[in-house]
Amino acid sequence: MALLQNGVARHRQVASILRNRILKGDLPAESQLPTELELTKSYEVSRTVVRQAMQALEFEGLITRVPGKGTFVRQPPEPKEEWAIGSLEDLVSYGIRTRLEILSHAEVSVPEDVAKALHMAPGSPVMEIRGVRASAAGPLAYQRNFLLLDVGRSVMSADLTRIPMLEAMEKHAGVRIVRATQWLTAVAAKGEVCKILQVKRGAPLLQIERLFISQERGPVEFGITRFRPDRYRHVSEIRRSNG
């Protein structure tokens, strides 16, 4: 039995001890935890302390309490893949490490918000490419990419299941992307996205919009991607500026 220390909340100490045992595998998934009475005796604490510790572990998703049966260790959650996308090279790497299935491509009238981003007149034709990107864990993201019409036609001559979009634009359309602006927000899953990403209607999704600017022609692509947050975690580094 680990001895509790003075000066630290006792329920936090009990929770920490049990947490470490769970993470180390001493208490494996689906195993039953000792009863409240057994824990009070083991750590010489009150039932209130034990209940507070259990509440903390339950909130963290480490345990589940089944009425009439006891408290059990939960199966570890599916690990999230972390994507530190801080450069165009990172986006290319992301494209290589995942796989893209093209769902459709068509020449469409540019949506109003996309037209503004691409500096186009409303109703102008663009190439819209829809696809689902997957990782080893399964469907990861649903994406809609709007490209200038001639750029989109050229890109569709490439095998986008193997070549990242940025590389395809450079090799097949002759445009080199030099920078991108992105916006992150949360949206609710609806429509075809639910089936494609295998989520329920209303499930939260991370949406990233990106505007790609080329050296030769300025804005050439606007992409809207919706990610399953249980399989994707966007990582960025924030540093203190000099001076």
Side-chain angles (χ1 to χ4, degrees), residues 24-150:
K24 288 180 180 178
D26 295 339
L27 291 170
E30 299 185 1
S31 65
Q32 186 170 3
L33 268 66
T35 65
E36 283 187 2
L37 181 59
E38 290 171 336
L39 290 172
T40 60
K41 291 180 178 179
S42 294
Y43 299 110
E44 299 180 356
V45 295
S46 68
R47 284 202 171 191
T48 299
V49 168
V50 171
R51 286 170 184 164
Q52 289 176 325
M54 293 297 103
Q55 287 173 354
L57 296 176
E58 187 174 27
F59 180 79
E60 294 173 25
L62 294 175
I63 65 171
T64 183
R65 291 189 273 188
V66 182
K69 293 186 178 181
T71 302
F72 299 84
V73 178
R74 294 185 62 178
Q75 286 282 358
E78 186 178 85
K80 296 181 182 179
E81 296 187 68
E82 293 191 349
W83 302 92
I85 297 178
S87 67
L88 293 173
E89 288 74 21
D90 290 339
L91 276 176
V92 171
S93 176
Y94 163 76
I96 293 173
R97 292 165 58 193
T98 57
R99 62 184 184 277
L100 176 66
E101 176 187 352
I102 301 297
L103 300 176
S104 67
H105 67 278
E107 297 180 14
V108 301
S109 296
V110 62
E112 184 177 352
D113 55 339
V114 178
K116 291 179 180 179
L118 292 178
H119 301 167
M120 301 179 70
S124 299
V126 291
M127 177 68 74
E128 180 188 16
I129 304 172
R130 300 191 183 208
V132 57
R133 192 169 288 280
S135 65
L140 175 69
Y142 170 74
Q143 61 187 63
R144 297 173 65 194
N145 299 84
F146 298 91
L147 300 94
L148 300 186
L149 193 56
D150 63 308

